[in-house]
Structure formats: structure tokens, C-alpha cells
């Protein structure tokens, strides 16, 4: 639906499919895993109010609501557009620049920015999220229901850019919490992390032409259990 810092758009096809009809994303962000399996019973939870406000806006918006939004040009400021509501400006904060944390007030100038394309694409997908449950809250407030838990927190190394960053996370407590979940647990990280025994999945290009190796921990067997770190 929209781009967000740390999005799993490049990685979502590498994660195991859900084993349960219910999917819970405690660090929802742009919810790429849930969007891949959108027909399931989805619960999104995030501590960042802007994320939840934008998701609920999209859940309740019609195609016409999205398609009537202005086609802002590259570099154009939208903060002072009087025809835009507060939540619409927050929504533009995510689509105006790839990988945004939402704190944006003008459209990016990169060649890949195409507001018209993005709005049309989002409008076509609104039907997927009508049945989703979307809540503001912390991961440790969620009932321990049997489900597929897709857990993608701010990374231990590299997760400082979020509004609610890795600085506010006790990773020892988070590791225990992950192990206690009922059902299937999929935890995302990179190979620098040590709070769970993560296995490497894929090397990808990050920001500023840097590279990182995405990693996974799961309480179920995955295709990456026997991958050697030396291969990366």
C-alpha cells in the first residue's frame, strides 16, 4: 500500500507462508507480509499513532477518495495544501518518498517517485484490507492467541530511524516474548543481531548503497535452518 522505512517489499517472498488462518503483526509498519496473505484474518498493531491512523484511513477510504487526491509533482510541498485533511497529509508523507518514516512534507525528487501510479495502485487494493483489525498499542499488550506471528521490530543494529526506535526495546525481554507466542512465530532481523539465534536469508541492498544480510528466527523448521553464514 505504502512505503515505510524497513519495509519487507524486497524480502516478503522469502519468508515461510502462514500456518494459521490468523496473522498478527505486532510491529505493523507497511505490513507487507499481511498484504501478501491478505485473505487471512489480519491483526495489525503498531506503537506509532501515525501508522495506525493512516492504515485506518485506508481501510475506510473508497477508491474515489484515493483517486481524487492531487497528483503532486516531484519536489512539491504538500504540508500547506488546504484541500488535504490532516490524515491525508500523513498518508502523503509515506508515499512521497520511498522508505519514509512519515515525517515528510514534500514529494521526493528521485526518478522513481510517481504519485499518480501509487494512488491508482493503492485504490485498486483497498478491498484487501476491509476486514483487517488495526490497533494502536505495544507488542506486549497483545493477547497470546494461536496465530502466525510475523514479528519485524526495529532492528538491534540499524533500527534507530523509527519514531519508536530500537532504543526503547529491551531485546532480552522481546526474545522471551517471541518464544512464548502460541502458534507459528517468524522473527525478522539482520545477521548482526544476537538476541535470538538468527539464520541468514538473503543479502540485500539498503540505503546509501550499503548491503545487509536479512535473517530469520522461527519456532518452526524453515528452508534456512542449515544455511552457513560463510556463504554470505
Amino acid at each position: 500500500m505504502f512505503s515505510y522505512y524497513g519495509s519487507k517489499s524486497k524480502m516478503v517472498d522469502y519468508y515461510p507462508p502462514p500456518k494459521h488462518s490468523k496473522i498478527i503483526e505486532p510491529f505493523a509498519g507497511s505490513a507487507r507480509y499481511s498484504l501478501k496473505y491478505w485473505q487471512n484474518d489480519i491483526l495489525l498493531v503498531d506503537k506509532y499513532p501515525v501508522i495506525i491512523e493512516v492504515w485506518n484511513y485506508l481501510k475506510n477510504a473508497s477508491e474515489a477518495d484515493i483517486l481524487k487526491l492531487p497528483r503532486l509533482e516531484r519536489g512539491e510541498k504538500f504540508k500547506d495544501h488546504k484541500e488535504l485533511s490532516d490524515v491525508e497529509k500523513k498518508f502523503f508523507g509515506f508515499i512521497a518518498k520511498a522508505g519514509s518514516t512519515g515525517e515528510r512534507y514534500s514529494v521526493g525528487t528521485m526518478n522513481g517517485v510517481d504519485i499518480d501510479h501509487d494512488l491508482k495502485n493503492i485504490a485498486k487494493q483497498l478491498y484487501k484490507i476491509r476486514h483487517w483489525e488495526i490497533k494502536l498499542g505495544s507488542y506486549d499488550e497483545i493477547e497470546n492467541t494461536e496465530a502466525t506471528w510475523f514479528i519485524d521490530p526495529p532492528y538491534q543494529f540499524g533500527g534507530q530511524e523509527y519514531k519508536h526506535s530500537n532504543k526503547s526495546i529491551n531485546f532480552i525481554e522481546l526474545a522471551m516474548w517471541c518464544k512464548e507466542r502460541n502458534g507459528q512465530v517468524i522473527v525478522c532481523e539482520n545477521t548482526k543481531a544476537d538476541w535470538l539465534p538468527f539464520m541468514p536469508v538473503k543479502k540485500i541492498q539498503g540505503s546509501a548503497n550499503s548491503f545487509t544480510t536479512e535473517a530469520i528466527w522461527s519456532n518452526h523448521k524453515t528452508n534456512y535452518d542449515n544455511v552457513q553464514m560463510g556463504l554470505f
Side-chain angles (χ1 to χ4, degrees):
M1 287 284 186
F2 56 85
S3 179
Y4 188 58
Y5 184 79
S7 166
K8 290 298 175 285
S9 58
K10 298 178 182 178
M11 287 296 303
V12 67
D13 292 335
Y14 292 90
Y15 297 115
K19 294 180 179 291
H20 299 271
S21 60
K22 186 176 184 68
I23 296 173
I24 301 174
E25 290 207 45
F27 301 87
S30 57
R32 292 303 174 98
Y33 189 82
S34 290
L35 280 169
K36 181 175 175 64
Y37 303 103
W38 61 271
Q39 301 96 327
N40 288 49
D41 180 11
I42 305 292
L43 170 60
L44 301 186
V45 178
D46 204 285
K47 203 172 183 178
Y48 185 22
V50 174
I51 281 285
I52 297 305
E53 191 175 352
V54 168
W55 270 119
N56 277 316
Y57 161 71
L58 291 172
K59 177 181 175 179
N60 295 296
S62 67
E63 288 190 38
D65 291 332
I66 301 300
L67 294 175
K68 75 179 182 182
L69 293 173
R71 272 39 177 189
L72 302 176
E73 300 295 332
R74 295 176 196 164
E76 185 176 353
K77 295 181 179 180
F78 52 83
K79 182 180 180 181
D80 299 322
H81 270 254
K82 298 186 184 302
E83 76 275 21
L84 293 174
S85 68
D86 184 57
V87 69
E88 287 169 344
K89 291 176 184 178
K90 292 174 181 176
F91 168 57
F92 267 114
F94 291 122
I95 67 170
K97 185 172 182 180
S100 172
T101 57
E103 301 295 322
R104 305 285 181 184
Y105 303 104
S106 62
V107 180
T109 57
M110 300 289 288
N111 288 334
V113 175
D114 188 338
I115 298 297
D116 181 63
H117 173 272
D118 289 345
L119 292 177
K120 289 177 180 176
N121 184 54
I122 290 167
K124 289 191 298 186
Q125 296 188 71
L126 292 175
Y127 71 94
K128 295 180 179 180
I129 66 174
R130 299 300 188 202
H131 65 286
W132 289 13
E133 186 177 3
I134 302 163
K135 289 184 174 181
L136 176 67
S138 176
Y139 73 90
D140 52 5
E141 299 170 347
I142 308 171
E143 182 181 354
N144 193 5
T145 303
E146 186 167 346
T148 291
W149 295 77
F150 187 79
I151 302 169
D152 182 21
Y155 284 4
Q156 186 178 19
F157 299 95
Q160 65 276 0
E161 299 296 330
Y162 295 93
K163 189 72 171 180
H164 295 276
S165 72
N166 54 8
K167 296 177 182 178
S168 64
I169 296 176
N170 182 319
F171 283 98
I172 294 174
E173 292 180 0
L174 179 58
M176 293 177 60
W177 182 85
C178 291
K179 292 177 179 179
E180 293 169 354
R181 296 309 90 196
N182 292 324
Q184 176 191 19
V185 182
I186 301 167
V187 184
C188 307
E189 252 288 4
N190 61 39
T191 51
K192 294 179 181 179
D194 60 7
W195 54 278
L196 282 171
F198 293 101
M199 300 303 297
V201 175
K202 182 177 174 60
K203 187 175 182 179
I204 63 169
Q205 183 173 346
S207 59
N209 294 319
S210 62
F211 287 86
T212 183
T213 300
E214 293 295 301
I216 187 175
W217 177 87
S218 180
N219 61 348
H220 287 256
K221 183 176 177 60
T222 75
N223 294 333
Y224 309 104
D225 290 351
N226 298 315
V227 174
Q228 297 298 313
M229 287 292 290
L231 296 177
F232 292 83

